[in-house]
Amino acid sequence: MLDTQFLNEKATKFRSALKKVKQIIDRGPEEFINTPMYPDRVQYYMIIAYDELDQIACHLIKEISGAKKKENCVDDLVSQDIFSGKVSRGLQDFKKFRDSIFETRFKYSPEQMYVSVKNILDNLFDNFISELAQLVKELKSKEPELSIPVNLKKVNEQAKAVKSSIKKIKIFLGYPFDEFKENPMFLDRTRYFLVVAVDSSLWICRHILRKLKSKYKNCFDGLFREGVISQKTADSLNKLLSLRDDLANPETDIPAEELFKTASESIQVFENYIKEISRAIIGKSDT
């Protein structure tokens, strides 16, 4: 789902950087070309603006096509044909300009820079943000309505931490117990990933209860009382929570047999937890 807060922050920084560029470009070609610091400043702010633009593009591409990229997304966004011709040309020209800056090792001629940057500004400065806002509005209208108005991006991040911890714990548990108990790394990492899973589960719990405007002394019991998770899951999570500090304290001895048993039982507990909160939030089996 779209993270509108993230997009707003990036769009604001993008617009701010372009505004600084425009203030210089508006001084005219003669003053720009004859003032050495102007091309340097424009180069600097254009690179900042492009970095923000690329992050916006990557986030949009993920939502539109499902592709997960962390950079070099502007061309992909243009290929979706969702912006006007003017904005699309501006995005393409911006990509070419940014590539040329690095290819020339920051020795772009002032005369050529002025023309290129002015064209980019003419196409993007007054148009990109408004078209982006309209696009976001359209994409948001297609998103499922959440039963609980959580910050889904942050909940997903914590849920992924739980899933990742479970996956790593399963690797350690896949070894014969005799080998498990004799390997200090297995023991240490199992304790660590149990703590991570508990902490992330607790973060999700507190976040959901805040969104429900509910206050309970015991978080997991609160989720049960609100109908988000089963009592069995709440009781199992409370048991793991009670062990959390001992697991995190390397000076606290936990017998290998007890750790192995706790870790083995925790797998289903955490998997059930993720499924149950997912159903409560968006009515799906996976978060």
Side-chain angles (χ1 to χ4, degrees):
M1 297 183 74
L2 283 176
D3 186 341
T4 52
Q5 181 179 348
F6 172 83
L7 289 174
N8 283 334
E9 290 174 355
K10 294 301 171 183
T12 298
K13 291 178 180 178
F14 171 79
R15 174 78 176 183
S16 176
L18 282 194
K19 186 176 180 180
K20 291 181 172 67
V21 171
K22 190 173 186 302
Q23 288 172 344
I24 296 173
I25 294 297
D26 284 349
R27 294 177 178 273
E30 185 175 346
E31 187 172 345
F32 178 83
I33 293 168
N34 294 321
T35 308
M37 70 175 178
Y38 283 170
D40 289 340
R41 286 187 180 180
V42 163
Q43 230 171 208
Y44 171 74
Y45 287 121
M46 288 293 279
I47 290 172
I48 289 177
Y50 187 86
D51 287 345
E52 301 299 333
L53 173 64
D54 198 43
Q55 291 183 60
I56 291 171
C58 288
H59 188 68
L60 292 174
I61 284 297
K62 180 182 177 182
E63 299 304 316
I64 295 169
S65 68
K68 297 180 180 180
K69 294 178 66 177
K70 293 184 178 180
E71 58 184 2
N72 300 322
C73 297
V74 173
D75 282 341
D76 294 331
L77 186 61
V78 172
S79 70
Q80 295 294 318
D81 197 26
I82 51 180
F83 291 105
S84 67
K86 191 170 187 178
V87 167
S88 293
R89 285 193 298 274
L91 295 175
Q92 290 173 321
D93 289 344
F94 206 163
K95 172 71 164 53
K96 291 176 183 177
F97 174 78
R98 184 260 190 188
D99 290 346
S100 295
I101 288 293
F102 287 103
E103 288 170 4
T104 61
R105 297 186 179 182
F106 298 88
K107 293 181 180 179
Y108 212 86
S109 73
E111 294 83 1
Q112 188 179 359
M113 184 183 297
Y114 181 86
V115 174
S116 297
V117 171
K118 190 175 187 309
N119 286 336
I120 293 168
L121 290 173
D122 288 344
N123 287 324
L124 295 184
F125 190 75
D126 291 323
N127 302 304
F128 177 71
I129 298 300
S130 61
E131 292 191 23
L132 174 64
Q134 182 60 38
L135 174 62
V136 169
K137 183 178 179 180
E138 292 173 3
L139 292 174
K140 290 294 288 183
S141 69
K142 298 176 183 178
E143 290 181 350
E145 186 175 348
L146 300 181
S147 298
I148 304 173
V150 298
N151 183 323
L152 199 55
K153 181 175 183 291
K154 293 187 179 297
V155 170
N156 274 329
E157 288 173 354
Q158 297 297 328
K160 287 177 182 177
V162 175
K163 292 177 180 179
S164 177
S165 296
I166 291 172
K167 185 176 180 180
K168 291 179 174 68
I169 290 171
K170 284 181 178 178
I171 293 173
F172 304 140
L173 298 180
Y175 288 85
F177 175 69
D178 287 344
E179 187 172 345
F180 174 85
K181 72 177 181 179
E182 296 299 329
N183 192 316
M185 189 272 285
F186 287 178
L187 300 174
D188 176 73
R189 293 291 84 187
T190 298
R191 290 172 67 148
Y192 171 78
F193 287 118
L194 280 171
V195 171
V196 172
V198 169
D199 287 351
S200 293
S201 297
L202 189 59
W203 187 98
I204 293 171
C205 178
R206 289 169 174 165
H207 181 68
I208 292 175
L209 288 185
R210 281 197 299 272
K211 295 301 180 180
L212 291 173
K213 295 180 169 48
S214 300
K215 294 182 180 180
Y216 293 92
K217 185 175 182 180
N218 182 294
C219 193
F220 296 124
D221 284 348
L223 286 189
F224 162 64
R225 293 178 185 276
E226 292 289 344
V228 176
I229 62 176
S230 67
Q231 183 165 18
K232 181 180 179 181
T233 297
D235 289 344
S236 298
L237 287 168
N238 279 327
K239 181 179 178 181
L240 288 168
L241 181 60
S242 70
L243 299 173
R244 190 263 180 214
D245 289 346
D246 285 343
L247 289 166
N249 186 352
E251 296 182 0
T252 300
D253 179 58
I254 299 178
E257 293 82 357
E258 181 181 337
L259 179 62
F260 192 89
K261 181 174 183 293
T262 297
S264 299
E265 293 174 348
S266 76
I267 301 298
Q268 193 63 55
V269 174
F270 289 123
E271 289 179 346
N272 289 341
Y273 179 61
I274 297 302
K275 290 178 182 178
E276 290 172 15
I277 63 168
S278 180
R279 283 195 295 267
I281 293 171
I282 57 176
K284 295 182 180 180
S285 60
D286 293 314
T287 298

